[in-house]
Amino acid sequence: MMKFLPHLPEQLVRLLVVFGVLVAGMFFVRSMLPPELKDTSIHIQSTLDREAARPVHYAGSEACADCHEEYTIKKGGYHKNLSCETCHGAAKEHTENPAEVKPNVPRLREFCVRCHTFDPSRPTGFPQINPVVHNPLKPCASCHNPHDPKPPTVPQECQACHAEIARMKAVSRHVLLDCTTCHNAPNGHKISPRVVKASIPTDRDFCGKCHGSGAQMKEAPKIDLTSHGEKYLCWQCHYPHQPGLD
């Protein structure tokens, strides 16, 4: 070997020999393997056959459309992105024998609060409640149609989606202000909050309507807008929903 590679260091030649032996051993071992361990098409087909042999439990939401008018209501409601079987369970057997096999109908509050109990990690606009104080003695379906769960009345202070802010504002100096005092929320914001945004104040003069030295709001703390904070926006120093903590 050395006379064929005269210009290479002896250590490198030895390394190449070891590498060559390993590669040759790999091909030898591969040649001894059965075809099903080498051919990926056989691998894929065996996986498909194994999965296809599993019993089918779910029918899919489209199967509900033929018999249940609730499907049409759900399709245009707030639960339109949920499969019927998310709440009613696997329904394949029900579609084959609807007279005897009935789907599960969740009626307890504990089912709905799995998704709607307040959790700050959930996306903005997702309806959330505190189940301890939100109509604690009634099942959710007594006020909300499960297939299109619009609230029977507009939630006060936007707390259906902004529960954390509502709780904070409830103990702040702005407690008596309606959310619409500072924000304009179009109807589209209630349906698509990420697409249709509520407006927020954009300049110091907005806060100055109540807090400027010449403002008519007697109960509100007053400041001189020309010297107080100068170039900074008010909410860069004061949190609007709890302005006392700054």
Side-chain angles (χ1 to χ4, degrees):
M1 178 65 74
M2 294 294 296
K3 65 181 179 181
F4 293 107
L5 301 170
H7 302 295
L8 297 178
E10 182 180 353
Q11 295 87 344
L12 181 58
V13 173
R14 291 177 178 176
L15 183 61
L16 290 174
V17 171
V18 172
F19 180 75
V21 171
L22 291 175
V23 171
M26 182 186 69
F27 279 103
F28 175 75
V29 172
R30 179 177 173 82
S31 67
M32 303 296 291
L33 294 175
E36 57 268 17
L37 292 180
K38 295 184 295 183
D39 191 338
T40 56
S41 63
I42 298 177
H43 230 349
I44 294 173
Q45 188 59 49
S46 64
T47 302
L48 293 175
D49 292 341
R50 184 178 66 251
E51 293 302 315
R54 293 175 178 270
V56 177
H57 297 291
Y58 291 88
S61 293
E62 292 74 13
C64 306
D66 295 335
C67 302
H68 301 281
E69 62 181 16
E70 289 85 358
Y71 177 82
T72 304
I73 299 174
K74 184 183 80 69
K75 191 174 180 180
Y78 287 156
H79 277 170
K80 61 184 178 182
N81 292 324
L82 282 183
S83 168
C84 300
E85 290 163 302
T86 301
C87 299
H88 295 290
K92 183 67 166 58
E93 293 185 6
H94 170 67
T95 60
E96 296 172 347
N97 189 3
E100 296 184 11
V101 181
K102 301 298 183 182
N104 176 50
V105 180
R107 301 185 187 279
L108 300 178
R109 290 170 57 84
E110 288 75 13
F111 185 86
C112 300
V113 299
R114 292 178 185 176
C115 295
H116 294 287
T117 295
F118 177 76
D119 184 340
S121 67
R122 290 196 169 105
T124 301
F126 189 88
Q128 302 182 67
I129 62 159
N130 180 351
V132 176
V133 299
H134 184 85
N135 290 336
L137 300 179
K138 293 183 178 181
C140 302
S142 65
C143 296
H144 304 273
N145 180 346
H147 300 101
D148 186 16
K150 295 179 181 178
T153 58
V154 178
Q156 296 180 352
E157 299 185 355
C158 311
Q159 61 186 356
C161 300
H162 304 283
E164 185 177 21
I165 292 175
R167 287 195 296 270
M168 186 178 299
K169 179 173 162 290
V171 295
S172 78
R173 295 178 181 178
H174 280 170
V175 61
L176 297 179
L177 292 181
D178 293 331
C179 297
T180 52
T181 303
C182 303
H183 303 283
N184 176 32
N187 287 330
H189 175 67
K190 302 173 184 177
I191 301 172
S192 303
R194 291 182 178 276
V195 177
V196 182
K197 303 291 186 180
S199 68
I200 59 174
T202 57
D203 56 53
R204 290 162 52 86
D205 292 334
F206 185 88
C207 297
K209 294 177 182 179
C210 295
H211 297 287
S213 55
Q216 301 298 316
M217 183 72 68
K218 296 181 180 180
E219 299 82 2
K222 300 295 190 295
I223 52 99
D224 184 353
L225 288 174
T226 59
S227 60
H228 182 84
E230 298 180 353
K231 59 182 180 181
Y232 296 102
L233 296 173
C234 305
W235 41 95
Q236 290 179 286
C237 299
H238 305 273
Y239 183 54
H241 301 113
Q242 198 164 17
L245 298 180
D246 52 317

